[in-house]
Amino acid sequence: EFLYCDLASMMSIRQFVQKFKMKKIPLHVLINNAGVMMVPQRKTRDGFEEHFGLNYLGHFLLTNLLLDTLRESGSPGHSARVVTVSSATHYVAELNMDDLQSSACYSAHAAYAQSKLALVLFTYHLQRLLVAEGSHVTANVVDPGVVNTDLYRHVFWGTRLVKKLFSWLLFKTPDEGAWTSIYAAVTPELEGVGGRYLYNEKETKSLHVTYNQKLQQQLWSTSCDMTGVRD
């Protein structure tokens, strides 16, 4: 069964959550997987730069609105799980807290990478909050690798040509790209374990700055203000 949700619209996200909660069913796994990449400079319906607004803020709001259901669904030995999909591009990203909308100097590459960096910081801070309150919910972040999907339709034409010619050699199939997300969602090895960055079903280190708790808190508070979520 599918429910419509436009992650570029705060109203649509809130309507989706309302419809989902009306079903009164548990929520054991939330996979934050949607995204756009290298799009021209444009805004979401709420006026946010699209990479930051859709890739990051949309998932931030969605997760926060569903947290109570996740808490109710998790139990000792059977934690509910939040799995957020980032990207290796976060390793070359910088988080500009003074210009999260990339309005001063827009670069599609930088805006995309920043949104993926923000998702890692968000995941780590969310996990710390969940641990502090004793919830049976965990939050992990995954890197799917380079996957052969339509996500690349806005990249440089030369890159698209290389993708078309050598995708069988250089790119994962969509099924292969989903493996780490599925692993994070179901493996018994991660029961009760959160705050991990996973690549190829293994834990690895994310960018050094992602472990900066002060920056995590700063981004979280700013995101709460932007989305109308109580901090």
Side-chain angles (χ1 to χ4, degrees), residues 9 23-24 42 52 60 63 76-77 81 83 94 105 117 121 132 136 163 167 175 180 183 210 215-216 221:
S9 165
K23 294 182 175 295
K24 299 191 182 301
R42 59 194 189 196
F52 191 78
F60 177 89
T63 303
R81 303 185 185 192
V83 179
E94 291 184 16
C105 182
L117 173 59
L121 289 158
H136 298 296
K163 174 179 176 290
S167 61
D175 281 354
T180 302
Y183 172 81
T210 58
L215 184 60
Q216 293 170 13
S221 297

Side-chain angles (χ1 to χ4, degrees), residues 6-60:
D6 178 2
L7 281 164
S9 165
M10 300 286 165
M11 180 182 294
S12 178
I13 294 168
R14 292 181 182 278
Q15 289 172 344
F16 162 80
V17 170
Q18 186 178 28
K19 289 176 184 175
F20 177 79
K21 289 185 176 182
M22 285 173 63
K23 294 182 175 295
K24 299 191 182 301
I25 56 176
L27 177 60
H28 297 111
V29 180
L30 170 63
I31 300 181
N32 292 319
N33 181 62
V36 293
M37 184 173 76
M38 315 290 187
V39 296
Q41 187 173 18
R42 59 194 189 196
K43 294 182 178 181
T44 67
R45 296 183 187 183
D46 303 286
F48 300 117
E49 186 277 317
E50 190 165 356
H51 291 101
F52 191 78
L54 193 157
N55 294 2
Y56 170 66
L57 284 179
H59 289 120
F60 177 89

Side-chain angles (χ1 to χ4, degrees), residues 13-220:
I13 294 168
R14 292 181 182 278
Q15 289 172 344
F16 162 80
V17 170
Q18 186 178 28
K19 289 176 184 175
F20 177 79
K21 289 185 176 182
M22 285 173 63
K23 294 182 175 295
K24 299 191 182 301
I25 56 176
L27 177 60
H28 297 111
V29 180
L30 170 63
I31 300 181
N32 292 319
N33 181 62
V36 293
M37 184 173 76
M38 315 290 187
V39 296
Q41 187 173 18
R42 59 194 189 196
K43 294 182 178 181
T44 67
R45 296 183 187 183
D46 303 286
F48 300 117
E49 186 277 317
E50 190 165 356
H51 291 101
F52 191 78
L54 193 157
N55 294 2
Y56 170 66
L57 284 179
H59 289 120
F60 177 89
L61 177 61
L62 178 67
T63 303
N64 273 280
L65 294 180
L66 289 172
L67 268 182
D68 54 349
T69 307
L70 286 160
R71 290 188 189 100
E72 293 166 3
S73 305
S75 60
H78 295 87
S79 297
R81 303 185 185 192
V82 179
V83 179
T84 297
V85 180
S86 182
S87 162
T89 57
H90 92 272
Y91 287 110
V92 297
E94 291 184 16
L95 192 73
N96 186 350
M97 290 301 302
D98 295 322
D99 187 20
L100 291 172
Q101 306 299 321
S102 305
S103 55
C105 182
Y106 183 77
S107 160
H109 293 78
Y112 174 72
Q114 179 181 244
S115 71
K116 292 300 179 178
L117 173 59
L119 288 169
V120 182
L121 289 158
F122 153 71
T123 299
Y124 291 167
H125 189 68
L126 174 61
Q127 175 62 23
R128 288 201 298 119
L129 294 176
L130 292 168
V131 169
E133 68 183 23
S135 292
H136 298 296
V137 184
T138 61
N140 288 298
V141 60
V142 304
D143 175 359
V146 183
V147 188
N148 186 12
T149 69
D150 287 339
L151 192 64
Y152 297 85
R153 62 183 178 272
H154 292 290
V155 301
F156 175 62
W157 68 267
T159 305
R160 292 202 303 274
L161 179 61
V162 171
K163 174 179 176 290
K164 187 174 183 179
L165 295 175
F166 299 104
S167 61
W168 61 274
L169 178 65
L170 303 174
F171 288 68
K172 292 181 179 181
T173 66
D175 281 354
E176 291 168 343
W179 284 353
T180 302
S181 294
I182 295 170
Y183 172 81
V186 303
T187 181
E189 295 173 21
L190 287 176
E191 172 52 44
V193 177
R196 303 293 194 271
Y197 186 91
L198 304 167
Y199 175 64
N200 285 344
E201 297 90 62
K202 291 184 174 65
E203 181 185 351
T204 187
K205 290 289 185 183
S206 54
L207 184 66
H208 178 72
V209 74
T210 58
Y211 300 100
N212 184 324
Q213 294 185 7
K214 183 178 179 181
L215 184 60
Q216 293 170 13
Q217 174 66 64
Q218 188 179 6
L219 176 63
W220 183 278

